[in-house]
Amino acid sequence: EKKRKKESQNRSRYKPGDGVSRKHLQNVRVIQRNLVYAIGIPLKHCKEDTLGRQEFFGRYGEIQKISVNRSGPNGRYGGGGGGTGSAYVTFKREADAVICIKKLDGSVVDGHTIKACFGTTKYCNSFLKYQPCNNPDCLYLHEIGEETESFTKEEMARIGTKHHSFHVPQRSQ
């Protein structure tokens, strides 16, 4: 409770300061290193409560939020019959997301190949307007992200970042 209150106070400290507009950040997406984006999830498993369980994403660490999209085209990602969906899973810790991606990417569930990478997020509208964010559960950005981790929607579409550039870098041993 104290932590949540402190985070809320920190968010209310934004000051217009130099008066520079943040409008240009409206269409920017920033790689979120604690957010896993997974596609190819069989529809029968593609539900928030199911994916949060120990046998799915729950095994990798504490989860803050899960959002699913069940309207993916039938069988588009990977083999197997039946439809698939996608999920954004926000972990409390970045290290848990990294392990999740390493273990999950390329795995097969019910004949469907799962693809997993870091997800991206956008800037909080309140932050863009130099206003305090009153949502204590807001998962959008409240500070300027790294330039090397930031992409416009157009750049993402052009370079196909959904599953090419956002993978966990392989570390040599």
Side-chain angles (χ1 to χ4, degrees):
E1 183 60 41
K2 277 185 182 179
K3 185 180 177 192
R4 185 173 275 187
K5 197 174 232 181
K6 186 173 176 70
E7 285 173 2
S8 184
Q9 286 171 344
N10 286 343
R11 290 187 188 159
S12 64
R13 290 193 183 131
Y14 297 116
K15 305 208 173 12
D18 54 14
V20 174
S21 171
R22 292 178 175 161
K23 193 173 177 81
H24 67 287
L25 297 173
Q26 207 163 13
N27 289 318
V28 172
R29 298 295 179 265
V30 181
I31 297 172
Q32 207 56 21
R33 301 275 170 193
N34 67 330
L35 178 64
V36 174
Y37 175 61
I39 62 173
I41 303 167
L43 286 179
K44 72 176 186 180
H45 301 302
C46 201
K47 300 176 188 88
E48 284 90 349
D49 58 342
T50 303
L51 294 178
R53 291 186 194 147
Q54 208 48 41
E55 61 266 28
F56 291 102
F57 289 96
R59 74 172 67 172
Y60 301 109
E62 188 176 339
I63 295 171
Q64 287 182 288
K65 181 179 181 180
I66 298 178
S67 282
V68 299
N69 179 355
R70 296 174 47 82
S71 61
N74 276 348
R76 178 172 167 197
Y77 311 113
T84 62
S86 61
Y88 283 95
V89 181
T90 307
F91 285 93
K92 190 167 187 171
R93 296 174 349 114
E94 179 180 321
D96 297 337
V98 169
I99 291 167
C100 175
I101 292 169
K102 284 183 176 179
K103 299 271 191 201
L104 202 59
D105 188 48
S107 65
V108 177
V109 176
D110 296 346
H112 293 280
T113 301
I114 308 294
K115 292 192 177 284
C117 64
F118 290 119
T120 61
T121 193
K122 64 181 189 170
Y123 288 97
C124 174
N125 283 329
S126 297
F127 172 77
L128 293 176
K129 296 173 187 168
Y130 288 95
Q131 295 172 349
C133 176
N134 296 319
N135 177 359
D137 298 318
C138 184
L139 294 174
Y140 295 124
L141 292 178
H142 298 91
E143 59 190 23
I144 302 294
E146 291 286 326
E147 200 171 323
T148 57
E149 307 265 294
S150 302
F151 302 87
T152 62
K153 285 182 183 177
E154 294 75 25
E155 286 171 324
M156 289 175 68
R158 190 172 63 248
I159 60 178
T161 52
K162 272 295 184 212
H163 283 287
H164 300 293
S165 304
F166 294 174
H167 279 290
V168 176
Q170 297 298 315
R171 293 201 174 95
S172 54
Q173 312 231 294

